[in-house]
Amino acid sequence: MIVDAHSHFFPKTWPDFAENFGGAWPWIKHTGEGQAMVYVGDREFRPITAACWDAETRLADMDRDGIDLQVICATPVLFAYDKPVEQAALVARHFNDAALELCAQGRGRLKSMAQVPLQDIDAACREVSRIMADGHLGVEIGNHVGDQDLDHPGLITFLHHCADEGAAVFVHPWDMMGAGRMRQWMLPWLVAMPAETQLSMLSLILSGAFERLPKSLRICFAHGGGSFAYLIGRVDNAWRNRDIVRQDCPNPPSSYVDRMYVDSAVFSDGSLRLLVDVMGPDQVLLGTDYPFPLGEQVLGEGVVNSKTLSKDEKTRVLRSNAVRFLGIDAPEAGQSRSRAALI
C-alpha cells in the first residue's frame, strides 16, 4: 500500500472574489477540454489540467502508478494571507469545503489537508477546529506570514493548537525571497523555495521553539525539507563554535530532526539517500507534488526505483511514515494496481 502525502488541487470553478471583495485575487479561465489557466488579477499564474479538479482523472493516474491513497491540499497562491482576515477566512472555508467535495468523489482514496487564515491566529485556530470536525487530516500552511517566520509567538500558539486538535501540519514554501534577482528560468522555485524551507526549519530549531511545543505535534516540510539536509552539518558547526547561534537552542540542531517529517520530493537517488540518512528512516514520507510539472511525472518512482534504499526503508517511506504523520488507520493494500511487490 502506497500513500502520497503531498499533492495539490484546484476546484473547477470558484467565486469571483475580486468582484466580491475588490483587489487582485486568483481566478480560473478554462481554455479547452481539461485545460485551464489560473490568473492572479490580470497576470497569468499557472496552466493547469483536469487532474487538479477531476477525481476520475486523478484516480486513473494513481492506478497507473500504483498509488493507493493520496492527500490533496491547496496551492499556496490561494492562501490570501495578505488580505483582510474576514475575507481570507471566507476564502479558506470555501476551498476547504471544495477539497472535501473532491475527496467525496475519490472512492475512499483521497484525503485532504485544509488551509487557514494564518494572518489572524484566533481565526486560524477556529478554522482548524472546524476542519478537523469536518474530516480533514490537518492543515497546510505557508512557511511564513509576511516577515513572521514559524518561531513567531503567534505561530507557535497556532502550532500548539494544531497539536491539541490532533491536526497534522504540512508546511509549504511560498512568497519566495529574492524575487528581484530571480526573474528567469523558474529560479524562485529552484533556489528560493529550498531556502525558504530551510529557513522555516531552522527558525523552529534555533529559536528553541521545539522546547516549548509538545512532542505530539506532527509537522512535515515539503520538497525534502529544501536545503536543510545538505546543510545541517554547517548549522551544527556554527552551533558548536558561536554562542549567538546556540543562545536559544540548548541542543545541537541536528538533534531535533526527529521532531519533523519531510517528504521525498528530491528527484535524485543520491539526495534521497542523504535525506533518509540525515532525517532518519522514520521521518521521510512519499510526496509527489502531483499534478504539477515540478512534481514526479511517474508517481512514487524515486522511492520505488531507488538503488540505495533498503526494502524496509522503502516500506517506511511509501507507507508507514505517512500513516503515522497523518494520524490515519493503515488502509488495506490493493485498491490500486499497487507497486508494493516491486520494492
Side-chain angles (χ1 to χ4, degrees):
M1 197 279 299
I2 297 177
V3 180
D4 175 9
H6 176 192
S7 76
H8 294 284
F9 86 104
F10 279 98
K12 189 172 184 178
T13 62
W14 62 83
D16 186 341
F17 296 122
E19 181 178 315
N20 294 336
F21 302 135
W25 287 84
W27 60 281
I28 188 169
K29 178 181 179 180
H30 288 270
T31 57
E33 184 66 29
Q35 304 289 325
M37 177 65 72
V38 175
Y39 290 80
V40 178
D42 59 1
R43 175 178 58 87
E44 288 186 352
F45 172 71
R46 174 177 295 168
I48 60 174
T49 69
C52 287
W53 65 78
D54 182 70
E56 293 304 318
T57 301
R58 185 177 289 261
L59 291 173
D61 288 347
M62 291 166 62
D63 283 342
R64 179 198 68 199
D65 296 336
I67 303 296
D68 294 283
L69 186 72
Q70 191 174 65
V71 180
I72 67 171
C73 59
T75 304
V77 72
L78 303 177
F79 284 161
Y81 292 167
D82 61 337
K83 304 296 185 183
V85 62
E86 297 82 4
Q87 298 174 10
L90 289 171
V91 168
R93 180 182 287 259
H94 176 84
F95 288 117
N96 293 341
D97 293 347
L100 289 178
E101 290 174 8
L102 180 58
C103 290
Q105 302 168 37
R107 301 198 290 274
R109 295 173 57 192
L110 300 179
K111 301 294 183 181
S112 57
M113 305 280 273
Q115 66 182 74
V116 296
L118 199 56
Q119 65 268 54
D120 184 287
I121 300 304
D122 289 340
C125 289
R126 286 194 298 271
E127 184 64 4
V128 167
S129 298
R130 185 188 81 87
I131 60 96
M132 292 302 292
D134 282 352
H136 293 270
L137 299 180
V139 292
E140 177 203 26
I141 62 172
N143 68 301
H144 65 104
V145 180
D147 60 359
Q148 297 176 1
D149 288 302
L150 293 188
D151 61 315
H152 185 273
L155 295 177
I156 296 298
T157 297
F158 172 79
L159 293 175
H160 205 301
H161 181 75
C162 290
D164 292 343
E165 290 283 353
V169 180
F170 184 67
V171 182
H172 199 290
W174 84 300
D175 191 26
M176 282 83 79
M177 64 179 75
R181 296 176 58 205
M182 290 185 266
R183 298 185 181 277
Q184 300 184 75
W185 315 304
M186 292 196 76
L187 287 176
W189 280 262
L190 303 178
V191 176
M193 263 195 172
E196 288 282 2
T197 304
Q198 183 191 14
L199 174 58
S200 302
M201 297 169 78
L202 290 182
S203 294
L204 287 175
I205 291 172
L206 297 179
S207 69
F210 281 124
E211 304 298 326
R212 305 188 295 277
L213 287 165
K215 291 189 175 181
S216 59
L217 174 67
R218 291 172 281 125
I219 187 167
C220 179
F221 293 83
H223 312 138
S227 33
F228 178 86
Y230 183 74
L231 294 174
I232 188 60
R234 178 179 176 86
V235 181
D236 274 357
N237 182 63
W239 182 88
R240 288 190 296 267
N241 293 297
R242 292 299 307 274
D243 56 355
I244 58 174
V245 177
R246 60 178 179 267
Q247 62 186 3
D248 298 313
C249 180
N251 300 301
S254 60
S255 69
Y256 294 92
V257 297
D258 64 349
R259 300 291 299 273
M260 303 175 287
Y261 295 86
V262 295
D263 74 19
S264 63
V266 294
F267 309 102
S268 158
D269 199 24
S271 297
L272 182 60
R273 178 71 263 168
L274 173 69
L275 188 65
V276 171
D277 286 343
V278 170
M279 300 301 298
D282 292 326
Q283 304 306 119
V284 182
L285 44 87
L286 175 64
T288 67
D289 217 355
Y290 174 91
F292 296 144
L294 289 186
E296 283 193 315
Q297 302 307 297
V298 178
L299 307 181
E301 69 173 343
V303 178
V304 170
N305 295 335
S306 172
K307 305 299 185 185
T308 65
L309 297 188
S310 69
K311 182 175 180 179
D312 176 66
E313 289 170 330
K314 290 182 181 182
T315 299
R316 297 187 199 195
V317 174
L318 292 171
R319 179 177 187 265
S320 54
N321 295 345
V323 167
R324 186 173 63 254
F325 165 67
L326 296 168
I328 58 176
D329 294 329
E332 294 181 2
Q335 296 185 78
S336 74
R337 187 168 52 82
S338 180
R339 299 159 74 194
L342 300 178
I343 66 175

